[in-house]
Amino acid sequence: MTRPVKKVIVIGLDGLEPKIVEPMLDRGDLPNLAKLRAEGGYSRVGTTFPAQTPVAWSTFATGTNPGGHGIFDFIRRDPQTYLPDLALNRYEQTSAFLPPKAVNLRRGTTVWNLLNAAGIPAIVLRCPCTYPPDIGKGRMLSGMGVPDLRGGLGTSTFYTSAAGETAGESENIVELRPESSGTIRTQIIGPRNQKGSGPSANLTADIRLDVDRSKRQVVVHSSGQPRTLEVKEGQWSDWLRIKFKIGMLQSVSGMLRFYLVRLEPVIELYASPLNFDPVTPMFPISAPWEYAAELSRKVGTFYTTGMVEDHTGLSNGRFGEAAYLDQCDQVVREREAMMLYELDRITEGLFFCLFDTPDRIQHMFWRFREPAHPANAANENADVTYSHDGSADMSRVIEDHYRRCDTIVGKVIEKTDDRTLLVVLSDHGFNGFQRGVHLNSWLHEQGLLKLCDGVSPGEEAGEFLRKVDWSGTSAYALGLGSIYLNLRGRERDGLVAPEDARSVQTRITQGLRGLIDPERGDVAIRGVVARDEVYAGPYAAESPDLIVNFAEGYRVSWATALGGVPRGICEDNIKKWSGDHIIDPALVPGVLFMNRQFNSAGPRLLDLAPTILDALGVPKGPAMEGESLLS
Amino acid sequence: MKLLVIGLDCAAPELLFGDERLVNVRRLMAGGCHGRLESVIPPITIPAWQCMVTSQDPGSLGVYGFRNRADHSYSTLDIVNSKSFKAMTIWDHLALEGKKAVIIGVPPSFPPRKVNGICVGCFMTPSVDEEYTHPPAVKDEIRSLVGEYMVDVKGFRTDDKEWLRDQIFEMSRRQFTVVRHYLDNAKWDYFHFVNIALDRMHHGFWKYMDSRHPDYEPGGPYENAIADFYLHLDEEIGRILAMLDGDTAVLVVSDHGAKALQGGFCVNEWLVEQGLLVLKDYPAEVTPFGKLNVDWSRTKVWSEGGYYARVFFNVEGREPQGVIAPGEYEEFRDVMKAKFEATTGPDGALLGTLAFRPQEIYREVRNVAPDLIVHFGALDWRSVGGVGYGGVIHLRENDSGPDECNHAQFGAFVLAAPNVPELGKIEGARLLDIAPTLMEVGGYEIPETFQGRSLFGGSLAETGGAAGVSVEAEEVIRQRLSGLGYIS
């Protein structure tokens, strides 16, 4: 007889793919997960439309489809400007003279809201779309959505003594000019200066670099903590806490780590994005607000931005695979430490902790699983010195990381008792991303998107839909697989009359369904769903009009996400960001393990919130669409 | 852009900028520019606020203080009121463009000014039973909001400090209630109020705070009274800021600063001693100047007291019994200026007195100006007009009741607006620069009659709201999305 549940522990392993997990389970590579499967159960778990991390975890948290929580995509758009923006949160400034306040765009009622209302505490670590943090009884550390000091998800800086280096994705380049003594004076690029432009566009903090070739290191002198920081070649440094003066009186502090890539023939030094210091964040990142500081006191300081893995450093070729994995390892150790700190002291209620890193590692290493991946030809200089177990085979990195996750699950199992419900799940699976589809270019080809006179698809069309002639445009794509109608009464220059919306939708749906990649001859798009087929609820009207379900190996192209209209319809994805999951959700379910038997007939992420509530004896919320899996 | 002026009478830069607990003031400082603001001569509430809002110096306005000579007779001075000022204020200029104003307690505002909007009388309002608002119905509205509106603390030169402090706080709270009401409920493009309560706090409590004050005693009961009042102001400013939309410029500004009062310099007593002021009979007790029996036929110089001295010469052909020949006037004035500047303190050391010729410091000299304006000890000392101190020149007490501070030449300003760059601390700003600066920030043309210059020198004018999407907006979006990974 099972005893009633006193605590529910939920471990999120972002992006764990059933098609990798299942054979590993069978081979005995994941003994702890296998144990859960044997004692309780295992199933694939249905993800959301679309299969994106913030959407999926918000559905996990609220038990509603995205129409009930308002997160439909990483990116949303303002119909009045046609401009994209981050969809997870926004900053509201009620007065121009008071500091802006972060507002979470994930709405609805969460499982922890309901538990708190029933007097049950919850501890939520790093759940996406929990910024700003909101918890009544318990503790919360915000996850995806927390910005870096510059207000984005993460902008790094690459210092090089070579001239003429151009900035890659999400990075600043700073050219180093060594003085004859070998000393280098330079700056850390801080937050954007709200009102500055040109050279004063950024706040900066002066640093001095002393290059010591005999010790293979650079010593960073700054006004921060510590005053002198040793950065060894091929290693990540400790944290440097540094303050930036805002105006004359205020300062904002952040922290960063360096990675010294090389000293010869040129000096190359990578600086991570500036994270909020958990002790003095610019905006609250925990609830209670001092909780982040408490954690850093107990388990050491930690990365705080919403996406903590330095994937752009690897994408931009600033450092190799080994350095990236080192950094991921640090992230996982931090997360594990805070998880264990809490598991040791909780006695009741919900504990949730997300490990994002499996998602970030798979994005960057999927290419090694697919020899034909276009990224392999483009990135022949992959860092093959990496060796986890003496092997140099990069294709094993993902499995290795799954084993790491399994070890973490083992440590969690040790903290459970017979009154604990343990849930381990991923929010979606994973897949290769070999080819990108230019949705706007297809709309243009179909005459549904018009470019200004004399402008053809390609670079001249720019991004942000800049050269779109709205007077002749019926539909446009923005974000990660979203298509919007240029709807009269909603869009600024709306063209499509509401009564014609259905026929335009049908035309797009029929045109894209089964779209063949002209170069490869493969099906690139399996189908398109209209909003009312998949969304219902108070926020459904904010959703895209159409969601594109890509086939395996395909995804929306890089350019489309920000409103580009390139030439052609499909292109190779040659980036190291080579795996993805924003395809037909039916193709990328997640995994679900529990230490108790559950109804494994087609569970969905929707069912998890009711399950957690059921286990703790709290009725599910009125908006929750799923059912408890325990009954 | 809408313009909001938060006037803090007498706010001292070292106090306003020196307390990091004033978080709302700090926010404005961080979001724009701030600095010392050099006042006019004399740095006195009247005429300083009018100089600020008209961008004209006291000479051009023809008003040299609360009291002014109406003519060249020896009769006592007239007290000014709102009708003494004819020059167009910033809100008069805006009214020409149909813009609405709310003016609350901007001295002098009694009788209430007929503005295009609302005007509430200042501390010179004799009683709130009078018609002290425009339109008159505003008076009833204020009564229903706060009951008895307080334009001033009557009898603020008192030793009953407990009572005084409570009264000042109450006056201030009632005014902020009224201010918030009209910020919300009136239509306005220009909103200007002046908190006189701060000036009363300084005059009533300075000695408890400032170790440079001769009567300072550490750890006194009111040591934090002034700091507490600044905290109150900051909190009220925070409540106001939360009510504003993004299209508003906010200026926190004072008409002058404050400093410890070392004592009184008996200017007429001193003139008697110098033989320049001749009395028919020296009074048996301390007597105000107006009640002295002056022998005008032998008197060359006399003065009015106050925070500073208005010094008048008895000039032949100008005054009824003038004795200084017009041809000797300038030479005599040079000598007098030198004499004043050579005045010494009780210890015999030079006071550092400043004497000004109106014709030198003003662009124009209208009405009847003093012949010299004297700041004893650069206003460390006030000017005592009475005679009968038996040859004593330096007084510790004030002749008109307890008063712990004098005015300092430098007030303070903090200006923040969406179009104002973060310039931090600015040096060299002057009182007359405020109105043109506000005009530029608000997007208005600066009238030619304004004597000051905009602190931004026209540099804000170029940033117009461009149609379409700015490159900057795209840059912000790119920044917000940077690091997402799914895009590039």
Side-chain angles (χ1 to χ4, degrees), chain A residues 74 83-85 89 91 94-95 97-99 150 152-155 170 192-193 195 248-250 307 311 363 463-464 466 555 558 561-562 577 580-582, chain B residues 24 26-31 34 241-242 244 246 248 250 416-418 420 422 424-425 469 474-488:
Chain A
F74 268 107
L83 283 175
D85 196 4
N89 51 55
Y91 288 86
T94 50
S95 159
F97 305 103
L98 296 177
R150 289 175 62 79
L153 297 166
T155 304
S170 311
R192 281 169 53 82
N193 190 352
K195 293 177 180 176
M248 306 301 285
L249 298 143
Q250 291 177 307
M307 293 177 90
H311 58 85
H363 277 300
E463 24 177 29
F464 296 121
R466 203 179 283 133
R555 204 202 74 175
W558 297 104
L562 285 185
W577 183 286
D580 217 311
H581 42 77
I582 308 175
Chain B
N24 295 301
R26 294 251 152 170
R27 259 181 213 125
L28 294 172
M29 287 162 76
H34 67 279
L241 296 184
L244 303 178
T248 310
V250 177
V420 166
E422 288 170 15
K425 194 165 156 193
V469 175
E474 290 182 1
E475 189 45 48
V476 168
I477 291 161
R478 211 183 294 276
Q479 191 66 56
R480 282 259 294 157
L481 292 171
S482 73
L484 178 56
Y486 295 89
I487 59 170
S488 64

Side-chain angles (χ1 to χ4, degrees), chain A residues 17 38 75 155 370 421 428 491 522 528 592:
Chain A
E17 162 60 38
I75 293 169
T155 304
E370 296 179 351
L421 171 65
H428 53 68
E491 263 74 3
D522 296 334
V528 176
L592 175 65

Side-chain angles (χ1 to χ4, degrees), chain A residues 322-340:
Chain A
Y324 178 66
L325 289 171
D326 273 357
Q327 196 260 340
C328 288
D329 179 61
Q330 170 72 19
V331 169
V332 175
R333 276 188 283 125
E334 289 170 3
R335 196 68 48 82
E336 194 179 318
M338 60 179 82
M339 176 190 81
L340 292 173

Side-chain angles (χ1 to χ4, degrees), chain B residues 54 61 82-89 92:
Chain B
T54 60
L61 295 174
S82 63
K83 303 215 181 292
S84 313
F85 294 90
K86 311 292 183 207
M88 277 177 73
T89 61
D92 292 331

Side-chain angles (χ1 to χ4, degrees), chain B residues 384-401:
Chain B
V384 174
V387 174
Y389 296 98
V392 172
I393 305 298
H394 304 96
L395 293 184
R396 284 292 297 278
E397 296 80 32
N398 177 33
D399 57 337
S400 55

